[in-house]
C-alpha cells in the first residue's frame, strides 16, 4: 500500500518531469522516430497521433507546469452537516486509487493523462499500443527518474508491456488492485475494454460531430467554422464529420458551392444525401450507416433537413454524443438546439474543435467522456476524484 503523497511532493515530481523532458528531448524524438519508421499501417489519423514533434514536446512541458500550479483536487469539502447528537459529517474529494489508462498511438498521453491522474493522487498503470512502444518506454523511464529524485516510489507510474491476450487476462482478473480504467482510442479498443473489464470504465467515446446550418445563419461564419472544424486536425475526436443544411437556407446552392471549394483546398472528400446530389465535386451517400461513422479522415458528409426538429432528431440518432453545433442568428432556435441535442458539448456559432480540457479552462484532460456518469465531456484534474465521508464523533451510538 502506498501512502498518499502530499501536494508538495506531487508538484515537485511534476516540475521535475517537465525539466527532464527538456533535457531529454532528443532521446524522446529519436525513440519516436523509430516508432514512426516501424509503423506500417495506412491509418493516417493513428500515424498523426503517433508523431511527436517540437509542438507536442512543448505541450507536454506546458501541461506538467500547469498541473503543478493547479490547486490540489483532494480533500475539497463538498458537503458538511452537524447531526443533532453532535456528530460532524462532511464529504471530501479523494483519489480513486489505481487507474489504468489503455491507449493507442499517442505518446503524449503518457505525460498529460498520467500527469492528471498523478496530481489527483492516483497510482497509474499505462498500457500503450505496440506502435508507440519506444516512445512510451523513454517517457516512463523519465517518470521513474522524476519520482526517485523526489524520494517517491517508482510504483506510482507503471508501464504494462502486455500483448492483447495478456491485457484481456489482466482486465478480467487484475493481478493488483484496480479501481478505474480509461480507454483512449478507437471503438474497437473501447468495446474490448468494456467487454473484459472487471471494474468501472470511463468511455472516451467516438466523435462523429454534427453541425446544423440554420436558415438564419451567417453564411460566411458557417463556412469558416465548418472548414476549421473539419480540416485543422482530422485525427482528433472533436473534428467535424457531418453538416446538416436547412432546406430553406437562402442562397443555399451558392453557399454550398463556396463551401465545397473551400474544403477541396484541403482535399476533403464530400459525401451528400439524395437532396443534395446535384452538387458538383461530391459523391452520393449509399448507406445510412455513413451517418454513424466517425471518419478521422479528410472526409465529410452533407445532408438536408426540413426543420430544426429534424436536425436535432438526426443528431440524437447518429452522433457519438461528443459535440454538436448550430450556426444561426436566432437565439431562440440556438437555445432549443443546445437544450435538446444529447451531446457532451453543444455550440452556438463556434467550432467543435474547442471541446478540449485545455480550451475549456481545465488545464488539460484525461479523456473526453461520452458517458453521463460520473463526468461528461473533458475530464480534468478536478473530475478525476471520487469522494469519501468523514464522520467525527465523541462516543455517539445509534
Amino acid at each position: 500500500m502506498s501512502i498518499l503523497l502530499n501536494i508538495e511532493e506531487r508538484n515537485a515530481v511534476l516540475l521535475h518531469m517537465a525539466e527532464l523532458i527538456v533535457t531529454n528531448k532528443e532521446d524522446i524524438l529519436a525513440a519516436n522516430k523509430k516508432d514512426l519508421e516501424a509503423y506500417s499501417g495506412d491509418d493516417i489519423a493513428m500515424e498523426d497521433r503517433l508523431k511527436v514533434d517540437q509542438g507536442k514536446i512543448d505541450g507536454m512541458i506546458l501541461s506538467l507546469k500547469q498541473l503543478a500550479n493547479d490547486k490540489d483536487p483532494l480533500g475539497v469539502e463538498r458537503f458538511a452537516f452537524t447531526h443533532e447528537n453532535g456528530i460532524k459529517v462532511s464529504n471530501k474529494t479523494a483519489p480513486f486509487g489505481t487507474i489504468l489508462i489503455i491507449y493507442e498511438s499517442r505518446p503524449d498521453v503518457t505525460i498529460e493523462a498520467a500527469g492528471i491522474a498523478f496530481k489527483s493522487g492516483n497510482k497509474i498503470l499505462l498500457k500503450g499500443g505496440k506502435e508507440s512502444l519506444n516512445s512510451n518506454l523513454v517517457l516512463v523511464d523519465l517518470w521513474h527518474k522524476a519520482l526517485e529524485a523526489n524520494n517517491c516510489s517508482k510504483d506510482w507510474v507503471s508501464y504494462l508491456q502486455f500483448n492483447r491476450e495478456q491485457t484481456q487476462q489482466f482486465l478480467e482478473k487484475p493481478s493488483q488492485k484496480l479501481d478505474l480504467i480509461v480507454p483512449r482510442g478507437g471503438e474497437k479498443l473501447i468495446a474490448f475494454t468494456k467487454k473484459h473489464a472487471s471494474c468501472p470504465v470511463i468511455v472516451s467515446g467516438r466523435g462523429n460531430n454534427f453541425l446544423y446550418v440554420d436558415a438564419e445563419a451567417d453564411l460566411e461564419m458557417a463556412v469558416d467554422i465548418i472548414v476549421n472544424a473539419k480540416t485543422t486536425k482530422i485525427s482528433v475526436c472533436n473534428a467535424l464529420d457531418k453538416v446538416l443544411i436547412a432546406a430553406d437556407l437562402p442562397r443555399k446552392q451558392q453557399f454550398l458551392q463556396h463551401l465545397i471549394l473551400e474544403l477541396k483546398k484541403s482535399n476533403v472528400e464530400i459525401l451528400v444525401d439524395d437532396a443534395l446530389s446535384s452538387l458538383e465535386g461530391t459523391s452520393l451517400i449509399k448507406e445510412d450507416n455513413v451517418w454513424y461513422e466517425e471518419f478521422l479522415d479528410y472526409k465529410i458528409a452533407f445532408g438536408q433537413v426540413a426543420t430544426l426538429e429534424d436536425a436535432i432528431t438526426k443528431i440524437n440518432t447518429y452522433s457519438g454524443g461528443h459535440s454538436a453545433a448550430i450556426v444561426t442568428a436566432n437565439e431562440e432556435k440556438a437555445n432549443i438546439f443546445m437544450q435538446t441535442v444529447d451531446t457532451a458539448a453543444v455550440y452556438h456559432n463556434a467550432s467543435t474543435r474547442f471541446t478540449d480540457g485545455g480550451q475549456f479552462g481545465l488545464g488539460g484532460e484525461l479523456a473526453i467522456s461520452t458517458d453521463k456518469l460520473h463526468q461528461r465531456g473533458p475530464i480534468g484534474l478536478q473530475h478525476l476524484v471520487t469522494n469519501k465521508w468523514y464522520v467525527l464523533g465523541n462516543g455517539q451510538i445509534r
Side-chain angles (χ1 to χ4, degrees), residues 13-66:
V13 171
L14 292 168
L15 290 173
H16 195 91
M17 187 65 182
E19 292 173 5
L20 288 174
I21 290 176
V22 172
T23 56
N24 292 273
K25 179 182 77 171
E26 296 306 322
D27 290 341
I28 297 169
L29 293 174
N32 186 249
K33 187 170 183 251
K34 287 182 184 177
D35 288 330
L36 286 167
E37 289 173 346
Y39 181 70
S40 58
D42 56 2
D43 187 334
I44 61 172
M46 181 171 282
E47 188 171 8
D48 182 59
R49 292 192 295 263
L50 175 60
K51 185 178 181 180
V52 175
D53 54 17
Q54 186 61 52
K56 285 192 179 177
I57 293 282
D58 291 342
M60 294 177 193
I61 296 166
L62 179 62
S63 173
L64 290 163
K65 288 182 176 178
Q66 286 179 334

Side-chain angles (χ1 to χ4, degrees), residues 72-257:
D72 190 354
L74 301 179
V76 177
E77 187 173 88
R78 307 198 305 185
F79 174 82
F81 165 72
T82 301
H83 194 281
E84 60 184 13
N85 67 12
I87 284 178
K88 295 185 183 299
V89 179
S90 63
N91 183 271
K92 299 180 183 180
T93 55
F96 276 98
T98 300
I99 297 177
L100 168 62
I101 306 171
I102 306 179
Y103 53 110
E104 297 170 326
S105 189
R106 290 184 53 179
D108 46 331
V109 168
T110 310
I111 300 301
E112 294 175 16
I116 291 171
F118 177 75
K119 172 87 176 201
S120 305
N122 299 288
K123 288 184 68 176
I124 304 114
L125 303 179
L126 297 167
K127 168 61 186 77
K130 60 181 182 295
E131 68 284 342
S132 54
L133 179 62
N134 291 297
S135 306
N136 286 335
L137 289 179
V138 169
L139 293 170
V140 170
D141 182 59
L142 296 183
W143 271 118
H144 290 165
K145 288 177 179 176
L147 287 161
E148 287 185 317
N150 290 278
N151 300 312
C152 302
S153 170
K154 291 193 299 184
D155 291 346
W156 282 100
V157 179
S158 300
Y159 194 79
L160 305 180
Q161 201 168 330
F162 291 167
N163 60 28
R164 183 181 177 86
E165 183 179 338
Q166 290 170 317
T167 302
Q168 178 178 328
Q169 291 173 350
F170 186 80
L171 290 173
E172 292 173 347
K173 294 182 179 179
S175 56
Q176 59 179 288
K177 191 176 186 295
L178 193 57
D179 299 284
L180 182 69
I181 302 173
V182 182
R184 294 279 302 266
E187 292 184 62
K188 289 182 179 178
L189 172 66
I190 292 166
F192 172 81
T193 304
K194 288 179 71 175
K195 179 179 178 181
H196 299 291
S198 53
C199 73
V201 176
I202 291 180
V203 173
S204 183
R206 64 193 178 100
N208 192 29
N209 303 312
F210 279 67
L211 180 144
Y212 172 55
V213 182
D214 176 59
E216 297 180 64
D218 178 321
L219 299 184
E220 186 176 344
M221 178 192 291
V223 170
D224 289 344
I225 290 172
I226 292 166
V227 171
N228 173 268
K230 177 70 265 181
T231 66
T232 50
K233 197 167 182 64
I234 56 93
S235 64
V236 289
C237 58
N238 57 26
L240 182 65
D241 281 336
K242 309 298 183 328
V243 176
L244 303 179
I245 308 294
D248 57 346
L249 179 70
R251 299 184 291 124
K252 182 174 61 179
Q253 288 296 113
Q254 183 182 347
F255 163 73
L256 286 169
Q257 287 166 0

